[in-house]
Amino acid sequence: MIQKTNRNIIGSGIFISPKGVLDHAGSVGFSLIVWVLGGGICALGSLCYAELGVTIPKSGGDYSYVTEIFGGLVGFLLLWSAVLIMYPTTLAVIALTFSNYVLQPAFPNCLPPYIATRLLATTCVLFLTWVNCSSVRWGTRIQDIFTVGKLLALVLIIVVGMIQIAKGHYDALAPQTAFEFIKDPSVGQIALAFLQASFAYSGWNFLNYVTEEVVEPRKNLPRAIYISIPLVTLVYTLTNIAYFSSMSPQELLDSNAVAVTFGEKLLGVFSWVMPISVALSTFGGINGYLFTSSRLCFSGAREGHLPYLLAMIHLKSCTPIPALLVCCTATIVILCIGDTHNLINYVSFINYLSYGVTIAGLLYYRWKKPKLFRPIKVNLLVPCSYLVFWAVLLGFSLYSEPVVCGMGLVIMLTGVPIYFIGVQWKNKPHWISITYLGQRLCYVVFPQDDPSEIQPLTEKSEL
């Protein structure tokens, strides 16, 4: 289970976020502090989620906890933002990173063409959606195989970087230069640096999505946190130190694919290993997020917050075809309208918002049900410290990027009328229901199958 947690947390974001963290932090030293503190904040959040996971032993993570504590509307808004923002935007960022790393060696002196990166990213998302629609086994095998690429790239970067430092190549890391600011720092920019780092750490709460499947969660959830979070923080910090052993801050900011630039400077004829490794990592990351999104849709359907359209699986292949198609479509739309840097701020703001609401729910639940048995009970300083940081981070992020962060809030709030029409309105006319239309859609996409074979997902169904 600990290995699975490490694999979820150590994601493709470490190949994407270093540039954004340095840009907003303003100096090498401050960026490294952001990476270390970012891991510490994840540890606080993980401990709170461990208490929630054993107190409310339901799969579905944030959504299940918030629905149990605050009721249907707040839970639905979290689910709505996940389906429309969190998963599709994260998929779009990882797909764009995949295309950049594949294409960058062909365009060593300039950025890859905009159309080329979008077409390749779209092709990758479409292909993996088809794989996950066709077979659960294919999807899980891809995830296991392509994790190797991620680990290979990180090990290679860290080892080569440490060798460089041992040879005395650490000018950018020397104390007298590490805190030389590229631009004047501000609290708002530091907040955005934390948002960029949080994208790389996203995944620390994924174990809570399958709490019902964890053996002895009272023991294993804290154990996974105590081992995984420090290990991931160490790996991320060492990776960034390795980058600065061969690149100046300006070179890192000018690079469109940091790991490729690192490989070109240090690996010589073997520089081709780096783009291939990162491409394998991001390919597996897209596959993993597509698979996880179907779990969330199942939890939403179980609570009655999603139509059966998004909670159906094919009777023969046992794959959640409608949910995958919706996620694929939303991802392709976002691919066409945003750049990687703004998309990370956009999705990280909404992620942090959902984390904070969930952890605030922990405090409210303690007050609401003080006598409820809690196998794990964290000190009150843990959620309070997290919420103080959360409030400061979101407040200054919204101040610094009102359009990007505010857009996420607006989209989340559009779920309010949808909730009252789609969930609260029980006696809707038949033509408003989209379940039947969804069955017909799947029949069009997969004409060899009888639409009657698209059945509602049950807890006993294999995902």
Side-chain angles (χ1 to χ4, degrees):
M1 185 186 71
I2 292 169
Q3 291 177 344
K4 188 174 182 180
T5 305
N6 285 334
R7 186 177 68 185
N8 284 334
I9 302 176
I10 300 178
S12 307
I14 186 57
F15 305 115
I16 307 168
S17 297
K19 180 177 177 179
V21 173
L22 178 61
D23 184 33
H24 290 299
S27 73
V28 172
F30 244 85
S31 69
L32 294 176
I33 291 173
V34 167
W35 282 107
V36 174
L37 291 181
I41 296 301
C42 288
L44 294 179
S46 298
L47 290 172
C48 296
Y49 271 62
E51 177 178 327
L52 288 168
V54 295
T55 305
I56 307 172
K58 294 182 179 179
S59 294
D62 317 58
Y63 163 70
S64 294
Y65 308 147
V66 169
T67 302
E68 175 74 21
I69 297 169
F70 293 119
L73 177 58
V74 180
F76 178 81
L77 291 179
L78 222 63
L79 179 66
W80 179 253
S81 61
V83 172
L84 287 187
I85 300 174
M86 295 180 197
Y87 281 104
T89 305
T90 303
L91 280 165
V93 171
I94 299 175
L96 286 173
T97 304
F98 168 81
S99 61
N100 279 328
Y101 272 91
V102 170
L103 294 173
Q104 191 62 51
F107 300 90
N109 300 318
C110 63
L111 296 177
Y114 179 91
I115 296 297
T117 56
R118 265 60 186 179
L119 284 176
L120 183 56
T122 300
T123 302
C124 177
V125 172
L126 288 172
F127 173 74
L128 285 173
T129 300
W130 173 78
V131 168
N132 280 273
C133 285
S134 301
S135 171
V136 175
R137 185 173 298 173
W138 292 359
T140 54
R141 283 182 177 176
I142 285 176
Q143 188 68 13
D144 292 336
I145 293 171
F146 283 83
T147 298
V148 175
K150 172 169 49 185
L151 299 178
L152 173 64
L154 288 174
V155 169
L156 192 59
I157 290 170
I158 291 172
V159 170
V160 173
M162 294 304 106
I163 292 173
Q164 283 291 102
I165 291 174
K167 291 180 178 178
H169 301 290
Y170 49 81
D171 293 343
L173 298 167
Q176 61 269 26
T177 57
F179 289 93
E180 289 182 359
F181 286 94
I182 304 169
K183 60 183 180 182
D184 294 333
S186 68
V187 178
Q189 289 300 311
I190 296 297
L192 292 175
F194 273 102
L195 282 188
Q196 292 282 323
S198 73
F199 181 80
Y201 283 108
S202 61
W204 58 263
N205 62 329
F206 274 13
L207 198 58
N208 290 73
Y209 281 85
V210 290
T211 304
E212 292 170 317
E213 302 170 27
V214 176
V215 178
E216 296 187 38
R218 182 180 179 180
K219 292 181 180 179
N220 288 326
L221 277 175
R223 185 181 300 168
I225 293 166
Y226 296 143
I227 296 176
S228 299
I229 300 294
L231 179 61
V232 173
T233 303
L234 178 65
V235 169
Y236 282 5
T237 305
L238 289 177
T239 300
N240 280 273
I241 290 173
Y243 285 147
F244 292 120
S245 70
S246 63
M247 289 184 281
S248 68
Q250 194 57 50
E251 284 178 319
L252 192 147
L253 291 174
D254 291 339
S255 174
N256 187 49
V258 178
V260 170
T261 304
F262 178 88
E264 289 173 347
K265 291 178 71 71
L266 295 182
L267 299 181
V269 294
F270 295 102
S271 61
W272 55 269
V273 173
M274 198 57 65
I276 291 177
S277 297
V278 177
L280 293 176
S281 168
T282 49
F283 192 79
I286 296 168
N287 181 76
Y289 269 93
L290 281 170
F291 184 83
T292 307
S293 64
S294 64
R295 295 269 185 159
L296 188 61
C297 287
F298 164 62
S299 296
R302 184 168 63 178
E303 295 292 337
H305 286 169
L306 287 178
Y308 284 128
L309 167 64
L310 297 181
M312 290 181 175
I313 63 171
H314 195 273
L315 190 61
K316 292 180 179 178
S317 61
C318 294
T319 54
I321 294 172
L324 288 164
L325 292 178
V326 168
C327 194
C328 174
T329 303
T331 301
I332 292 172
V333 170
I334 293 172
L335 275 173
C336 300
I337 60 176
D339 64 85
T340 303
H341 182 80
N342 285 334
L343 288 177
I344 291 176
N345 285 340
Y346 173 66
V347 71
S348 297
F349 181 86
I350 296 300
N351 274 335
Y352 253 108
L353 185 61
S354 67
Y355 299 154
V357 170
T358 306
I359 292 173
L362 181 149
L363 296 177
Y364 177 72
Y365 211 51
R366 289 247 191 123
W367 173 79
K368 183 180 177 182
K369 296 187 176 182
K371 296 183 180 180
L372 183 68
F373 175 65
R374 293 171 170 84
I376 298 173
K377 192 172 183 178
V378 299
N379 190 292
L380 279 176
L381 284 175
V382 174
C384 290
S385 300
Y386 186 94
L387 289 174
V388 169
F389 175 82
W390 171 80
V392 172
L393 177 70
L394 292 192
F396 281 103
S397 298
L398 189 59
Y399 173 78
S400 300
E401 290 279 3
V403 175
V404 173
C405 297
M407 185 63 68
L409 280 176
V410 170
I411 293 175
M412 177 183 283
L413 292 176
T414 59
V416 174
I418 300 297
Y419 174 77
F420 286 105
I421 294 173
V423 179
Q424 290 291 88
W425 187 9
K426 301 298 183 183
N427 300 317
K428 293 184 289 291
H430 179 72
W431 58 269
I432 293 181
S433 174
I434 56 177
T435 300
Y436 177 79
L437 296 177
Q439 288 179 314
R440 296 299 155 182
L441 171 64
C442 291
Y443 179 58
V444 172
V445 176
F446 300 94
Q448 73 274 17
D449 299 316
D450 188 330
S452 64
E453 293 179 343
I454 309 293
Q455 298 293 337
L457 180 62
T458 67
E459 290 191 62
K460 294 183 180 179
S461 299
E462 179 188 359
L463 275 178

